[in-house]
Amino acid sequence: MKRIAALDMLRGYALICIMLDHMPIGVLRNVTLANFTVFDAAELFVLLSGFLVGMVWVKIEARHGRGAAQWRFLKRAYEVWLALVLGAVLLAAFSHLLFELRLNHTAVWFRYAQWLTENPLGYIGTVALMWMQPNLLDVLALYVIMLVTAPVTVPFLLRMPWTAMAVSIIVWLFAEPLNALIPNQRPGPGLLFNPFGWQLLFFIGVGLGAFRRQILPALRKHSALLTAISVGVLLFCLAITLSWRIGEPAKAVSAALKMVYGSIDKWSLDGLRLMAIMAATWLVAVTFARPFEWMANTVIGRAFGDIGRGGLWSFISCVLLSIWGDAMDMLAPADFTGFLLRLAIDIWVIAALWASAALWLRREEWTGRIKARFASR
């Protein structure tokens, strides 16, 4: 299947934002996606994941049948689950190593390192059963649930798209009480990323990926109106985030805006965050499609694309690098020199994430050279 360069670039950008957002005193976290709108890289990651599922599913089903598509995504669910478990072990082990080296960090909860050393089988078992989802990796637990149910939900969506989306919206409306029924290690109810809420965004992505050739021509007829609405939604969201950042001087504006939108809940995916990511999707996919296509073919765009194509490898790398970057940030002084040092650390972890993804994508090439070298001796 031909890859979409802009899609890979956006996936890479999402992973970079996830990494930087989890470095609490980093410099570049102040210019990530979450600083300019009410949603963040998590929505972008889930929407793009759903889009890829829809796009790949219809290709496989057309060529090999529905059973092949169902089996493909059950296998993918297992791969993501395995990445969740292995990533949790690596996360806790790396955190423990940093603490042993007296490198403090706050990006990940300190108890994971303790649990892994005190009761490794218990730690691995609770993660494997998804009774516990370590922070930084909890979105993978959501992805596992979406993929393991895909063999049933995606065929339903493909056969009866309007009915399936209506069911998805109803489930989303009752997301909080449904999530409370899921037994979990957390003191709060259910999973942190509420699967009953976030499934709506995932299946919107699936629908867009599966029916993009039917949906886009129909929507383009109303392109001017949809662009105006999308710009309006994002400007409203920008006003909200700016009022938050300004703080006390903008308290009256913030209160007035809140009377319009009510409350914003990331974990169950509230309506405003959903509207905002859909508005951004329209602008990126249609209004500014050509500029994004151009950006995807620049040096930086291709580097971001490598990160996006790295998939689960890139995700685990971004988690570990965010912990490392956080630990290094905490060594920097509080003055301007420290600011420059933290900026350099941000740039370094982004470069390291790209290098990790590039090595992974080219693994057959360099491992082949190593094997050939040993074989020639």
Side-chain angles (χ1 to χ4, degrees):
M1 184 182 71
K2 184 179 179 181
R3 301 194 69 93
I4 302 173
L7 186 64
D8 288 332
M9 179 187 70
L10 287 170
R11 292 185 78 200
Y13 172 70
L15 289 171
I16 290 170
C17 287
I18 289 171
M19 179 175 64
L20 295 175
D21 284 340
H22 288 105
M23 295 166 57
I25 58 173
V27 174
L28 293 182
R29 78 185 304 269
N30 295 304
V31 293
T32 57
L33 186 61
N35 292 277
F36 305 102
T37 188
V38 297
F39 67 90
D40 59 27
E43 279 90 347
L44 182 56
F45 180 79
V46 172
L47 180 65
L48 291 175
S49 298
F51 184 87
L52 285 170
V53 168
M55 191 168 62
V56 173
W57 184 290
V58 295
K59 292 279 187 181
I60 296 174
E61 184 170 321
R63 294 175 182 174
H64 306 290
R66 178 163 295 170
Q70 290 171 318
W71 178 242
R72 165 73 176 268
F73 284 98
L74 279 177
K75 286 172 62 179
R76 186 58 176 168
Y78 169 74
E79 291 169 358
V80 177
W81 171 83
L82 189 60
L84 171 64
V85 176
L86 293 177
V89 172
L90 291 172
L91 173 148
F94 188 46
S95 177
H96 176 73
L97 174 62
L98 291 177
F99 281 129
E100 287 294 307
L101 296 173
R102 297 187 179 180
L103 294 173
N104 194 24
H105 52 281
T106 58
V108 65
W109 193 30
F110 73 96
R111 283 287 294 166
Y112 300 137
Q114 293 180 355
W115 286 340
L116 182 65
T117 54
E118 294 170 1
N119 184 9
L121 291 179
Y123 175 81
I124 295 170
T126 54
V127 173
L129 293 171
M130 296 206 306
W131 176 263
M132 177 178 69
Q133 308 90 42
N135 71 297
L136 306 186
L137 292 168
D138 37 18
V139 71
L140 287 186
L142 169 70
Y143 197 23
V144 170
I145 294 171
M146 296 299 98
L147 288 175
V148 83
T149 57
V152 175
T153 55
V154 174
F156 177 38
L157 178 63
L158 295 179
R159 282 198 315 269
M160 306 171 66
W162 293 109
T163 303
M165 290 312 302
V167 171
S168 183
I169 291 170
I170 292 170
V171 171
W172 173 71
L173 291 172
F174 292 94
E176 291 188 43
L178 289 171
N179 192 40
L181 301 175
I182 300 178
N184 199 258
Q185 168 265 342
R186 293 179 59 247
L191 276 65
L192 187 61
F193 277 92
N194 185 337
F196 299 102
W198 284 76
Q199 55 79 29
L200 177 57
L201 181 60
F202 179 80
F203 288 116
I204 288 174
V206 174
L208 291 174
F211 298 110
R212 65 191 185 283
R213 290 188 174 86
Q214 297 93 324
I215 292 173
L216 274 180
L219 292 180
R220 284 183 189 277
K221 297 176 183 178
H222 312 284
S223 182
L225 176 61
L226 290 172
T227 298
I229 292 172
S230 297
V231 170
V233 168
L234 292 180
L235 287 175
F236 179 71
C237 293
L238 178 61
I240 293 171
T241 55
L242 287 178
S243 69
W244 289 344
R245 291 175 69 83
I246 294 170
E248 187 65 29
K251 187 175 181 180
V253 175
S254 183
L257 292 172
K258 192 169 184 178
M259 291 178 66
V260 178
Y261 67 81
S263 62
I264 298 176
D265 176 20
K266 171 179 180 176
W267 308 117
S268 290
L269 188 62
D270 67 88
L272 184 59
R273 290 178 73 107
L274 181 63
M275 287 175 59
I277 182 64
M278 296 316 301
T281 299
W282 173 261
L283 294 179
V284 169
V286 180
T287 310
F288 300 114
R290 288 188 178 180
F292 272 88
E293 184 179 352
W294 173 82
M295 284 190 289
N297 289 291
T298 63
V299 173
I300 294 176
R302 287 194 294 270
F304 281 24
D306 282 347
I307 295 170
R309 287 164 54 208
L312 291 172
W313 177 271
S314 291
F315 188 95
I316 300 302
S317 296
C318 100
V319 166
L320 297 178
L321 284 168
S322 67
I323 301 170
W324 172 253
D326 178 37
M328 294 300 99
D329 281 344
M330 297 186 77
L331 296 176
D335 56 14
F336 183 68
T337 302
F339 171 86
L340 293 177
L341 182 56
R342 291 195 301 274
L343 177 59
I345 291 167
D346 287 347
I347 295 170
W348 184 89
V349 294
I350 293 171
L353 179 58
W354 169 78
S356 173
L359 283 171
W360 173 256
L361 292 173
R362 296 159 180 80
R363 62 192 181 278
E364 292 183 3
E365 178 182 337
W366 57 263
T367 55
R369 289 179 180 176
I370 293 172
K371 289 177 182 177
R373 182 170 296 180
F374 277 104
S376 63
R377 290 183 178 179

